[in-house]
């Protein structure tokens, strides 16, 4: 990790031209469209403004909530009694196969631009809502790709050191839907992300995900034209309600609400026995090697087999009609409605299979 210059000093007591609102609604800034207001909402459009807002909050010991695309947030109905910082920075810089994105860049738009530039590495991450700055925090992944495979550096403001730092991919400590940033959420604010992509003469990276390969009519490991890979993934995601559409309440969600459980050998053996006890001796749960003798299984499968099918629920918060892994706001829901549904699903899966699901979105002022 190294320190980098941040330019001229920025006063922490005055945010100058930065947009500032009080008692500001946060629900419109999230894909769930849920949550109460923030005592104060600051919108920053440059790295300097981001740093100034963070310093001001830290100097005054004011609680700080950082918001990017709002696609991974569950905010309580009471809102946030502090400063909500919306990062709206822009910047897409391509030098050969090296890409640098400002944290506020819309991720799915950035993916489209890399495909247009003929560069491979993130094409199967098309359609994922949110901002570029959120991708390393969650180690965003889908359809056989994860951002950790292409991220080389993350530039962030270190609140503990009071400096801007550059972390290498190794220092980011990436793992499945996890990173150094997620492990220590109060320490870093991501400013920029650098990626190393691949020039494969207009072809995609090898397609690893079986569903995507089938849809493309190829064998796993083969390459296809970049545009074909991106368009196929967008179609697969849209079919599951995983591409934002204001008119489609199945997309009023945070995408996958639960992570896929990763079980030790002993845990998987117990789980496997529970599956056969409940579903019959021939039943086989999804199982994928996850390293170190561990096995990853499917949260969506668990939810469905525990009795929570597509469209489950009778209130304003229900499981998506297109995908069992997405909890949705059907319009008029509250955060508590959503949490009640989530708790019901967690309890039902635990009772059925002895596995405890873990929520993927970040909760603010609430918990399961």
């Amino acid at each position: 990790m190294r320190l980098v210059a941040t330019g001229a000093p920025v006063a922490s007591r005055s945010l100058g031209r930065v947009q500032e609102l009080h008692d500001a609604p946060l629900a419109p800034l999230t894909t769930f469209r849920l949550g109460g207001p923030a005592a104060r909402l600051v919108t920053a459009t440059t790295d300097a403004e981001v740093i100034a807002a963070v310093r001001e909050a830290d100097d005054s010991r004011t609680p700080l909530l950082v918001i990017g695309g709002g696609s991974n947030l569950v905010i309580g109905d009471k809102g946030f009694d502090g400063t909500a910082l919306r990062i709206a920075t822009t910047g897409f810089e391509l030098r050969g196969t090296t890409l640098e994105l400002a944290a506020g860049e819309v991720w799915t738009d950035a993916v489209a631009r890399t495909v247009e530039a003929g560069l491979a590495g993130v094409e199967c991450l098309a359609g994922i809502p949110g901002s570029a700055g959120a991708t390393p925090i969650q180690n965003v992944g889908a359809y056989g790709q994860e951002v950790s495979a292409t991220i080389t550096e993350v530039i962030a403001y270190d609140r503990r050191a009071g400096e801007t730092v550059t972390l290498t991919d190794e220092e980011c400590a990436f793992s499945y839907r996890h990173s150094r940033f997620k492990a220590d959420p109060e320490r870093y604010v991501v400013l920029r992300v650098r990626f190393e992509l691949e020039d494969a003469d207009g072809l995609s990276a090898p397609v690893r995900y079986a569903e995507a390969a089938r849809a493309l009519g190829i064998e796993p490991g083969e390459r296809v034209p970049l545009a074909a890979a991106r368009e196929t993934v967008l179609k697969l995601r849209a079919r599951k309600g995983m591409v934002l559409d204001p008119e489609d309440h199945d997309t009023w969600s945070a995408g996958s609400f639960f992570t896929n459980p990763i079980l030790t050998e002993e845990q998987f053996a117990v789980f496997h026995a529970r599956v056969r006890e409940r579903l019959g001796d021939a039943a086989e749960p999804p199982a994928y090697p996850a390293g170190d003798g561990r096995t990853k299984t499917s949260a969506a499968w668990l939810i469905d087999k525990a009795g929570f099918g597509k469209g489950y629920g009778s209130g304003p918060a229900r499981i998506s009609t297109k995908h069992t892994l997405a909890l949705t706001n059907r319009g008029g829901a509250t955060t508590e409605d959503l949490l009640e549904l989530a708790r019901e699903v967690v309890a039902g899966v635990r009772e059925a299979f002895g596995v405890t699901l873990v929520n993927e979105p970040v909760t603010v002022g609430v918990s399961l």
Side-chain angles (χ1 to χ4, degrees):
M1 180 170 67
R2 67 178 190 274
L3 304 181
V4 297
T6 60
V10 180
S12 62
R13 293 183 181 176
S14 174
L15 298 182
R17 296 177 292 102
V18 175
Q19 180 185 341
E20 181 178 332
L21 299 171
H22 294 269
D23 195 26
L26 294 180
L29 301 182
T30 74
T31 52
F32 264 124
R33 294 164 172 81
L34 295 176
R40 178 170 175 257
L41 172 65
V42 172
T43 299
T45 58
T46 68
D47 290 352
E49 291 174 356
V50 172
I51 294 168
V54 174
R55 285 179 176 167
E56 182 185 66
D58 289 346
D59 289 349
S60 62
R61 298 185 179 181
T62 301
L64 180 69
L65 170 63
V66 177
I67 300 177
S71 61
N72 205 43
L73 279 179
V74 177
I75 299 173
D77 293 316
K78 293 182 179 179
F80 184 70
D81 189 16
T83 295
L85 170 59
R86 178 173 171 261
I87 297 182
T89 54
T90 57
F92 179 104
E93 185 177 354
L94 196 56
R95 299 182 301 277
T97 55
T98 300
L99 172 66
E100 181 173 302
L101 294 176
E105 281 288 330
V106 176
W107 173 250
T108 193
D109 292 348
V111 171
R113 292 178 70 177
T114 65
V115 170
E116 289 172 2
L119 298 177
V122 294
E123 61 279 359
C124 289
L125 303 179
I128 294 177
S131 62
T135 60
I137 297 171
Q138 192 74 3
N139 186 17
V140 163
Y143 294 98
Q145 290 183 344
E146 288 183 329
V147 291
S148 56
T150 51
I151 288 177
T152 57
E153 294 181 323
V154 175
I155 300 170
Y157 179 69
D158 184 340
R159 298 169 66 183
R160 188 177 303 167
E163 298 281 355
T164 300
V165 298
T166 298
L167 294 91
T168 65
D169 56 341
E170 288 187 1
E171 290 172 322
C172 291
F174 290 121
S175 60
Y176 173 65
R177 301 297 175 269
H178 202 69
S179 69
R180 179 176 187 168
F181 311 105
K182 191 172 182 179
D184 196 356
E186 301 300 318
R187 180 167 181 179
Y188 298 101
V189 177
V190 175
L191 301 173
R192 294 183 174 270
V193 188
R194 291 179 180 144
F195 303 81
E196 185 60 34
L197 304 176
E198 179 188 7
D199 185 348
D201 295 324
L203 295 179
S204 69
V207 178
R208 305 292 184 193
Y209 201 75
E211 182 185 15
R214 284 195 301 271
L216 286 160
I218 61 171
E219 293 296 319
E222 294 182 17
R223 297 176 184 259
V224 296
L226 276 164
R230 174 178 174 269
E231 289 164 8
T232 296
V233 166
L234 286 173
K235 289 176 182 177
L236 289 173
R237 290 185 64 86
R239 215 175 290 160
K240 300 172 183 178
M242 298 290 184
V243 177
L244 292 181
D245 179 353
E247 303 302 316
D248 182 0
H249 283 277
D250 278 327
T251 73
W252 289 32
S253 75
S256 299
F257 195 87
F258 300 103
T259 58
N260 290 321
I262 296 179
L263 308 175
T264 65
E265 187 174 350
E266 182 180 354
Q267 289 171 333
F268 187 80
V270 173
F271 163 60
H272 191 259
R274 292 282 290 270
V275 168
R276 292 197 164 182
E277 179 184 342
R278 181 181 178 90
L279 302 178
D281 291 341
E284 289 293 339
Y288 311 97
D292 298 325
R294 298 178 303 167
T295 301
K296 180 168 67 175
T297 192
S298 166
W301 185 91
L302 287 167
I303 292 167
D304 181 62
K305 298 303 181 183
F308 304 99
K310 295 174 184 177
Y312 177 86
S314 58
R318 303 179 196 176
I319 291 177
S320 166
T321 66
K322 299 182 178 72
H323 199 299
T324 55
L325 201 48
L327 307 188
T328 67
N329 172 11
R330 310 313 295 184
T334 65
T335 300
E336 190 54 35
D337 292 330
L338 177 76
L339 294 176
E340 285 181 7
L341 175 61
R343 291 173 188 134
E344 182 183 2
V345 171
V346 170
V349 169
R350 186 189 299 120
E351 181 181 357
F353 299 112
V355 174
T356 300
L357 295 177
V358 176
N359 52 290
E360 187 168 327
V362 175
T363 56
V364 178
V366 292
S367 64
L368 291 189

